[in-house]
Amino acid sequence: MSEKIFKGAFLVLLFAFLVLLVLEETGYYQTRTSKVKTLTEEQIKVFEEDIKAGKEIDIEEYVVTRTNYANELSNNIYRISLKLEKGVDSVIKFIFKKINNMVDE
């Protein structure tokens, strides 16, 4: 029984690792951060040009705001994911505690 649990947990962890590895290798995280950086750099250039042109400056015109798409459904899904995270965390701790006990014996 414990061998099946161990194999199942190992496969889940392996799958999660592979998904994260693919996301990193495809540049998903780098693309998201570079988009934010590009937007910021563009706004700085516009700000500097407006200062050189002697225009009246209002900082709100240069701040890029993101639209908040949160709604009740997405908030509930987020709460569920936090509960799942706690559950998975406790299961992983339990599994590694059992592995530690097996290794110590």
Side-chain angles (χ1 to χ4, degrees):
M1 179 70 177
S2 64
E3 188 174 318
K4 288 183 181 179
I5 293 172
F6 179 73
K7 285 182 181 179
F10 178 75
L11 290 175
V12 167
L13 291 173
L14 180 64
F15 178 74
F17 173 76
L18 291 175
V19 167
L20 292 173
L21 183 65
V22 167
L23 287 175
E24 177 66 29
E25 290 298 319
T26 57
Y28 175 76
Y29 294 113
Q30 186 176 7
T31 302
R32 287 186 55 98
T33 56
S34 68
K35 284 182 183 177
V36 172
K37 180 180 173 188
T38 303
L39 282 174
T40 304
E41 288 176 356
E42 288 174 0
Q43 291 304 100
I44 289 172
K45 288 177 184 175
V46 170
F47 179 76
E48 289 174 346
E49 289 173 6
D50 287 349
I51 288 177
K52 287 179 185 176
K55 293 182 181 178
E56 192 169 322
I57 304 297
D58 180 17
I59 194 67
E60 295 299 320
E61 295 178 14
Y62 306 99
V63 176
V64 178
T65 57
R66 302 229 180 236
T67 305
N68 185 3
Y69 294 106
N71 57 35
E72 189 175 339
L73 175 65
S74 64
N75 291 338
N76 288 335
I77 291 173
Y78 178 68
R79 282 189 217 109
I80 291 170
S81 71
L82 289 178
K83 290 178 183 179
L84 286 174
E85 177 187 5
K86 287 180 184 177
V88 169
D89 186 48
S90 63
V91 168
I92 290 173
K93 286 179 181 177
F94 174 79
I95 290 171
F96 279 106
K97 188 181 240 183
K98 290 293 183 182
I99 292 171
N100 188 30
N101 290 341
M102 287 191 277
V103 170
D104 287 343
E105 292 178 359

